[in-house]
């Protein structure tokens, strides 16, 4: 599968290995990782982002690639965790990682 973005094929393989059998995935920072996670996982998938522009761009890339778009996109500034997650992937802006 070819994805739109700039992560390496090795990173794609690592993401795939960590999300394939999971039930609940949380991601910080939408983009190519969102495509990879949704392509390889049937998990409930929540993706948190600071930029509506990136969310819109990611939705369009999912559509262009024929990857189902059932991702629960949430705004970083209002996001509150709700339960446990099998995988938490943080590829968001560095300045927001600690909080």
């Amino acid at each position: 599968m070819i994805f739109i973005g700039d992560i390496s094929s090795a990173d794609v393989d690592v993401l795939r290995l960590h999300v394939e059998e999971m039930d609940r995935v949380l991601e910080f920072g939408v983009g190519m990782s969102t495509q990879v996670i949704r392509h390889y996982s049937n998990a409930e998938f929540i993706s948190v982002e600071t930029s509506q522009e990136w969310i819109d761009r990611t939705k369009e890339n999912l559509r262009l690639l024929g990857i189902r778009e059932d991702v629960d996109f949430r705004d970083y500034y209002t996001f509150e965790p709700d339960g446990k997650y099998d995988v938490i992937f943080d590829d968001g802006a560095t300045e927001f990682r600690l909080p």
Side-chain angles (χ1 to χ4, degrees):
M1 175 76 182
I2 297 189
F3 299 100
I4 300 169
D6 62 356
I7 63 176
S8 71
S9 61
D11 288 341
V12 169
D13 291 341
V14 168
L15 270 174
R16 187 189 84 237
L17 289 172
H18 283 88
V19 301
E20 277 183 318
E21 303 298 322
M22 299 302 147
D23 294 321
R24 199 154 192 249
V25 175
L26 174 63
E27 169 191 51
F28 288 92
V30 305
M32 186 172 167
S33 57
T34 311
Q35 300 162 40
V36 173
I37 293 168
R38 181 45 50 207
H39 178 72
Y40 289 112
S41 174
N42 291 318
E44 175 187 352
F45 182 17
I46 298 167
S47 188
V48 180
E49 176 57 51
T50 59
S51 167
Q52 185 61 48
E53 179 183 342
W54 269 102
I55 291 172
D56 294 341
R57 181 184 305 177
T58 300
K59 287 179 178 181
E60 177 64 9
N61 288 340
L62 290 168
R63 188 191 66 73
L64 288 170
L65 294 168
I67 299 172
R68 68 186 188 284
E69 299 177 39
D70 61 335
V71 177
D72 183 359
F73 292 101
R74 298 198 190 169
D75 178 71
Y76 172 83
Y77 300 104
T78 60
F79 172 72
E80 293 188 27
D82 56 353
K84 294 183 179 184
Y85 305 92
D86 298 306
V87 172
I88 299 173
F89 178 72
D90 187 351
D91 190 28
T94 303
E95 64 268 23
F96 296 119
R97 287 188 180 168
L98 185 57

